[in-house]
Amino acid sequence: MTAPDTRPTGLTDADKPFPWIGLFILAGAIFVCVTSEFLPTGLLPDLAKGLGVSESRIGLLVTFYAGTVVLSAPLLTAMTRRVPRKTLIVIVLCLFAITNLVVAIAPNYTVVVIARVVGGLAHGLFWSVVGAYAGYLVPKKQLGRAVAITSSGATAAFVLGVPLGTALGQALGWQLAFTAMAGLVAILTILVVIFLPPVRHVEELHTGEIRLPGRKDPSVFGVVVICAITATLMTGHYLFYTFIVPYYTAVAGFSTESVSALLFVYGGAGAIGLVLVGLVASRFPRASLAVSFAVASLAVLVIGLFPETTWLVIAAIVVWGIAFGGGPALLQTRMLQTASARVRDLASAWFTVSFNVGIGGGALIGGLIYDGFGLGVLPIIEAAVIAAAVVLIIVSDRVLHRRRVDAALRA
């Protein structure tokens, strides 16, 4: 049964109040989701020692998680298409709480792997729902602002969630860190039940209208293009970022003790970038996407060309963080603006898949390049891949604009 649309009727989009509470609740849900995903990376040595396995096998927990998302997200999204979105978020958050608790009490590595796979199933479904939720709460012209707010949850997870979870696990044991994570997810679940407004996500047919298969929706072509751009950008980013710590120490000459500060600087700069997205994305939706990634490409190129010039590398890290930090929100905004209401949830699922393909593929490609040519070439290659994606963004904008014009003329 579809949840009723509780928003006031008889109001124009300009008259409707901006749903601050609902969007911040979504941001909180995203915070616990992302922190749950990456917490094993911060506690990798502790998990390896506690479970009696190698660190490389603990690293595979992230691979299993991402692989499960890639394989399951579109199918689960299609299967749950008519389940009320708020209900689905509550179910998925409950699964996050349970899987974190199972990891905390797991007697061996196999049980942890199973818990992570279940968590991956929940993760893919979570993003397909939450990624589209803002599109049901606000009109298109406010999407940039709304997505910037919800995306702040992911930024907070990298800046605060994972570091604090890591510190807690190192001080008091990794089991307590995952137990605390389960408790935090449970609290967010209660807040979702109380404060998140339900939405009407199934578009009803008009009298005499025939339901078309999703693949025949006119917006599908644009969604596919955005997913291809996203996969390319994330592949370029993660082929270098995955190995950023050894690059800072072995190539750029920073001390091991200063690396955490550099990561915090990058994360803080990303938060600034996200704020800028909220200010400019709605006013300049097309230009902001290309410009932000073009600037990111140049910043990474500077890091690759001048790794031993400390002040220049630090400045480039700040620019890189600002430019790239708002990138995912810009991409998600573009996807929500492109996808019709009929395919919005499925488009969010494929968007999540494209992200995880880029994360896993970038890490794999970066590892191969690292082994074959060394760390020094990784930022140069990232800059080239992102620059190529910027060209794809510009060309695809023109193609999609022409398709919209042609469709309007035919109508």
Side-chain angles (χ1 to χ4, degrees):
M1 183 176 180
T2 304
D5 188 346
T6 60
R7 293 177 296 180
T9 57
L11 299 176
T12 66
D13 287 336
D15 295 326
K16 295 175 183 176
F18 192 73
W20 291 101
I21 294 178
L23 292 172
F24 278 118
I25 291 296
L26 289 176
I30 290 172
F31 171 82
V32 297
C33 170
V34 174
T35 303
S36 294
E37 179 180 10
F38 289 101
L39 188 56
T41 63
L43 295 171
L44 190 147
D46 305 86
L47 280 165
K49 183 178 180 180
L51 295 172
V53 298
S54 66
E55 292 186 357
S56 62
R57 291 187 69 189
I58 297 300
L60 286 175
L61 294 177
V62 176
T63 303
F64 291 141
Y65 199 97
T68 303
V69 173
V70 170
L71 294 175
S72 66
L75 177 61
L76 289 177
T77 301
M79 291 173 60
T80 57
R81 189 177 69 85
R82 289 194 168 272
V83 178
R85 304 292 89 178
K86 179 176 177 177
T87 300
L88 207 52
I89 291 177
V90 171
I91 292 172
V92 169
L93 287 175
C94 288
L95 285 175
F96 281 143
I98 293 170
T99 55
N100 275 288
L101 189 58
V102 169
V103 171
I105 63 176
N108 53 53
Y109 178 75
T110 301
V111 174
V112 174
V113 170
I114 294 172
R116 292 293 288 177
V117 168
V118 175
L121 293 172
H123 181 93
L125 189 54
F126 173 85
W127 278 106
S128 68
V129 177
V130 171
Y133 214 98
Y136 300 122
L137 291 176
V138 300
K140 276 192 173 183
K141 66 179 181 179
Q142 293 181 339
L143 273 175
R145 185 184 184 189
V147 171
I149 292 172
T150 58
S151 296
S152 67
T155 301
F158 285 112
V159 176
L160 296 175
V162 176
L164 290 177
T166 301
L168 178 64
Q170 291 173 343
L172 301 175
W174 61 268
Q175 294 95 337
L176 183 59
F178 281 98
T179 301
M181 194 70 244
L184 185 59
V185 174
I187 293 172
L188 258 296
T189 304
I190 295 171
L191 294 177
V192 166
V193 171
I194 297 174
F195 294 109
L196 185 66
V199 294
R200 188 187 301 277
H201 73 286
V202 178
E203 191 177 24
E204 302 297 336
L205 296 177
H206 300 293
T207 304
E209 186 178 5
I210 300 174
R211 185 179 299 278
L212 294 175
R215 66 180 182 277
K216 293 186 177 181
D217 188 282
S219 68
V220 166
F221 177 79
V223 170
V224 171
V225 170
I226 293 167
C227 287
I229 291 171
T230 300
T232 303
L233 287 167
M234 294 305 112
T235 298
H237 181 66
Y238 281 96
L239 71 83
F240 174 42
Y241 189 77
T242 302
F243 305 97
I244 193 67
V245 172
Y247 183 88
Y248 284 157
T249 56
V251 179
F254 290 95
S255 66
T256 303
E257 293 76 17
S258 65
V259 168
S260 58
L262 292 174
L263 294 177
F264 181 79
V265 166
Y266 178 83
I272 295 173
L274 195 59
V275 171
L276 292 177
V277 166
L279 296 175
V280 305
S282 297
R283 295 181 61 188
F284 310 102
R286 296 175 64 182
S288 56
L289 187 63
V291 169
S292 65
F293 285 112
V295 172
S297 177
L298 289 174
V300 174
L301 183 62
V302 168
I303 294 173
L305 292 178
F306 307 99
E308 297 180 356
T309 308
T310 301
W311 70 268
L312 190 57
V313 169
I314 294 175
I317 289 171
V318 172
V319 174
W320 181 25
I322 293 174
F324 206 94
L330 288 170
L331 289 166
Q332 187 179 0
T333 300
R334 179 67 62 89
M335 186 275 295
L336 290 174
Q337 290 172 333
T338 300
S340 70
R342 181 188 304 167
V343 299
R344 186 175 284 157
D345 290 347
L346 194 57
S348 293
W350 281 109
F351 183 73
T352 301
V353 167
S354 67
F355 244 91
N356 282 272
V357 166
I359 292 171
L364 176 61
I365 294 170
L368 294 174
I369 296 172
Y370 181 3
D371 291 338
F373 302 96
L375 283 169
V377 300
L378 291 180
I380 308 296
I381 296 175
E382 175 182 344
V385 174
I386 294 180
V390 171
V391 174
L392 181 58
I393 290 170
I394 295 172
V395 172
S396 65
D397 274 347
R398 295 181 179 180
V399 172
L400 292 172
H401 177 69
R402 181 169 296 178
R403 286 172 64 93
R404 287 192 292 268
V405 171
D406 291 343
L409 291 175
R410 287 195 299 270

